[in-house]
């Protein structure tokens, strides 16, 4: 979600045409809805306000200075790769892949690379 927010803000900040980033608001909305469902069904609904304030504050802080948005854009690749490593570590510890298929992980690793 962080990466999508940074990509969207970066493209708006630098004035890219709307057609180049139109899918990001849709993807962000899907991720936010999924996050709300996860928080709701895990009994942590009150944390949703904290996350909303954090992301809203981050949205405006990204464009306080040009170097902040550029640095955040460069860190997105690192953050995406780190999230995949955290997921793999969790799978390794639980020894249960659940519904994860080799094709899904291959596509995810390819897009992160």
């Amino acid at each position: 979600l962080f990466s999508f927010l940074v990509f969207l803000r970066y493209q708006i900040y630098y004035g890219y045409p709307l057609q180049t980033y139109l899918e990001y608001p849709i993807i962000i909305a899907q991720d936010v809805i999924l996050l709300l469902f996860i928080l709701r069904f895990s009994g942590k609904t009150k944390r949703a306000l904290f996350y909303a304030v954090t992301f809203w504050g981050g949205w405006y802080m990204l464009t306080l200075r040009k170097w902040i948005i550029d640095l955040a854009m460069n860190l997105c690749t690192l953050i995406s790769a780190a999230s995949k490593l955290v997921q793999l570590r969790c799978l390794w510890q639980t020894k249960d892949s659940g519904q994860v298929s080799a094709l899904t992980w291959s596509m995810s690793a390819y897009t992160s690379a």
Side-chain angles (χ1 to χ4, degrees), residues 4-18 20-21 24 58-73:
F4 292 137
L5 287 170
V6 170
F7 287 149
L8 178 63
R9 191 64 170 165
Y10 182 86
Q11 292 180 357
I12 291 170
Y13 182 79
Y14 282 107
Y16 286 93
L18 180 64
T20 61
Y21 61 88
Y24 288 114
W59 175 262
Y60 287 104
M61 287 180 57
L62 282 172
T63 55
L64 289 177
R65 300 265 189 252
K66 182 183 179 298
W67 66 269
I68 296 173
I69 189 76
D70 292 337
L71 178 66
M73 189 67 178

Side-chain angles (χ1 to χ4, degrees), residues 51-90:
Y51 289 129
V53 169
T54 301
F55 283 121
W56 193 262
W59 175 262
Y60 287 104
M61 287 180 57
L62 282 172
T63 55
L64 289 177
R65 300 265 189 252
K66 182 183 179 298
W67 66 269
I68 296 173
I69 189 76
D70 292 337
L71 178 66
M73 189 67 178
N74 289 328
L75 290 175
C76 280
T77 304
L78 177 66
I79 291 170
S80 293
S83 72
K84 300 299 180 241
L85 291 175
V86 169
Q87 291 172 2
L88 284 173
R89 187 177 136 240
C90 180

